[in-house]
Amino acid sequence: MSKSEMIVQAPGISLGQRRKGRLAELLKTLWSYRVSYLFIAPFMICFILFILLPVIAAVVLSFTHYNSIEPPRFVGWDNFRYMLTQDLILMKHALPNTLTFALIVGPGGYVCAFLLAWLISILPAVFRKWFTLAMYTPSLASLVAMSIIWTPLFSSDRIGYLNHFLLNLNLISEPVPWVTSKDHLMTSMVVVTLWKSMGIGFLGMLAGLLNVNPEMYEAGKLDGIRSRLEEIWYITIPATKPQMLFGAVMAVVGAVQISEIGTVLSGMNPTPEYAAHMITTHTDDYAFTRFELGYATALTVCLLTIVYLAQKLCWKLFGTKEDE
């Protein structure tokens, strides 16, 4: 029986004395692990200052009217009520565009990252680093650098590289407005984002694939595995679940948070007929143009909820179970 249980069960001790005994026992336990707390202190301080406190502040401000000049004024659920019933641009354009874009780019970029990582992992080591560098470098490019590459390619006139190529092949009869038309802007955004999506999640999956024990593949062949596809399904994916989970979370978060790519490609803000208007773009509009910071933080809380639900789905798919 522990000392704290003896204190609780001892007869004739008042409730105040029991609480003091529990507190003393807790402080003694905390003090015994003081060295461990020193090791985690840098991470905890950064987590509290730069993640926990901003999230709490955003949740609190989402229930206020705040314009950065006057003190915040509590308005209850008015921001969320306005979001659901009166913000037509959000419901008609920003939310559907964000979900559509995330559902295409998130899984699409994730599958492409895994396939490319697997193809690179089976290459000889002398070529592997160069292909990895070629795939990873686009993720480091800024939006300005991207515009230098993609704007001439998607130019809507005849001298645009893509239109010129398709016209010469007689695949189209007139130039296609790739980034100035509502019907084509989302497609152009998806292509550019997939090109840029081989980031840190791609490197994580490649590292996981390179560290799979080769003996597992030999054992699989003895157990009846006869094709590369069966190796991937029965050995590679189960052996790299932590990296697969990390890559999935990074892909979903990156797809949901992207905002300025449509504005950069089209050169318009807002984009043509709100074709590339996202929740993050909508948030920037209310925060930095209209200075309605209370409503803008309510939008960020909504986006945070979407990302959290997507992360829970990724954990369900790739999280390690207790028996694994």
Side-chain angles (χ1 to χ4, degrees):
M1 183 180 296
S2 65
K3 187 182 296 184
S4 60
E5 292 176 344
M6 293 176 61
I7 293 174
V8 172
Q9 296 180 4
I13 300 179
S14 65
L15 181 61
Q17 291 175 329
R18 293 177 183 177
R19 290 178 176 174
K20 289 182 180 179
R22 292 175 181 173
L23 179 60
E25 185 68 21
L26 176 61
L27 292 176
K28 184 178 179 180
T29 303
L30 293 176
W31 181 251
S32 65
Y33 293 101
R34 59 189 180 278
V35 178
S36 302
Y37 298 142
L38 288 177
F39 278 108
I40 66 173
F43 167 78
M44 290 302 299
I45 292 173
C46 293
F47 174 78
I48 292 172
L49 290 178
F50 300 110
I51 296 180
L52 184 60
L53 290 180
V55 169
I56 294 175
V59 173
V60 172
L61 285 176
S62 66
F63 293 97
T64 65
H65 172 76
Y66 181 49
N67 57 11
S68 76
I69 298 177
E70 302 174 338
R73 176 168 50 86
F74 181 75
V75 295
W77 294 94
D78 287 356
N79 289 329
F80 296 96
R81 191 179 299 113
Y82 177 83
M83 186 188 306
L84 295 174
T85 60
Q86 299 183 49
D87 194 345
L88 298 180
I89 295 178
L90 173 67
M91 289 300 170
K92 188 176 180 181
H93 300 286
L95 185 59
N97 288 343
T98 301
L99 295 178
T100 301
F101 187 77
L103 289 175
I104 296 175
V105 172
Y110 180 74
V111 171
C112 290
F114 177 78
L115 290 177
L116 285 173
W118 178 77
L119 291 173
I120 291 174
S121 69
I122 64 177
L123 290 175
V126 66
F127 300 113
R128 193 180 299 148
K129 60 182 179 180
W130 299 111
F131 279 94
T132 302
L133 180 63
M135 293 296 104
Y136 179 66
T137 300
S139 67
L140 302 177
S142 65
L143 289 176
V144 176
M146 288 171 52
S147 65
I148 296 174
I149 299 172
W150 291 98
T151 300
L153 181 66
F154 285 136
S155 180
S156 301
D157 51 27
R158 290 181 176 271
I159 63 174
Y161 296 148
L162 183 57
N163 279 333
H164 181 74
F165 178 75
L166 295 176
L167 286 169
N168 287 341
L169 294 178
N170 294 321
L171 296 177
I172 57 175
S173 58
E174 57 183 15
V176 178
W178 298 107
V179 294
T180 57
S181 169
K182 176 184 177 182
D183 299 327
H184 300 96
L185 180 55
M186 181 63 72
T187 303
S188 302
M189 290 176 56
V190 169
V191 171
V192 176
T193 307
L194 289 177
W195 171 78
K196 196 177 183 296
S197 62
M198 303 300 126
I200 192 67
F202 160 74
L203 292 183
M205 285 188 280
L206 179 59
L209 292 169
L210 293 176
N211 284 281
V212 177
N213 190 350
E215 295 178 358
M216 297 178 65
Y217 295 109
E218 297 176 3
K221 292 178 180 179
L222 295 176
D223 288 339
I225 292 178
R226 294 292 179 265
S227 66
R228 288 282 191 177
L229 184 60
E230 290 180 342
E231 280 186 356
I232 293 173
W233 185 258
Y234 292 109
I235 298 176
T236 305
I237 292 178
T240 58
K241 269 194 171 183
Q243 292 82 12
M244 298 283 288
L245 175 62
F246 175 74
V249 172
M250 295 301 295
V252 171
V253 171
V256 171
Q257 288 184 337
I258 195 165
S259 60
E260 297 180 359
I261 185 170
T263 302
V264 171
L265 289 177
S266 64
M268 304 178 188
N269 189 14
T271 53
E273 299 184 50
Y274 295 101
H277 199 68
M278 306 287 183
I279 292 180
T280 47
T281 313
H282 202 56
T283 302
D284 291 343
D285 179 35
Y286 274 91
F288 305 116
T289 302
R290 310 186 191 195
F291 289 97
E292 297 184 18
L293 300 180
Y295 184 67
T297 53
L299 290 170
T300 62
V301 171
C302 176
L303 184 62
L304 179 63
T305 303
I306 294 175
V307 173
Y308 173 77
L309 294 176
Q311 181 269 337
K312 296 295 289 185
L313 176 61
C314 294
W315 184 263
K316 286 287 185 181
L317 294 175
F318 299 106
T320 303
K321 308 297 188 299
E322 294 182 357
D323 56 346
E324 294 181 342

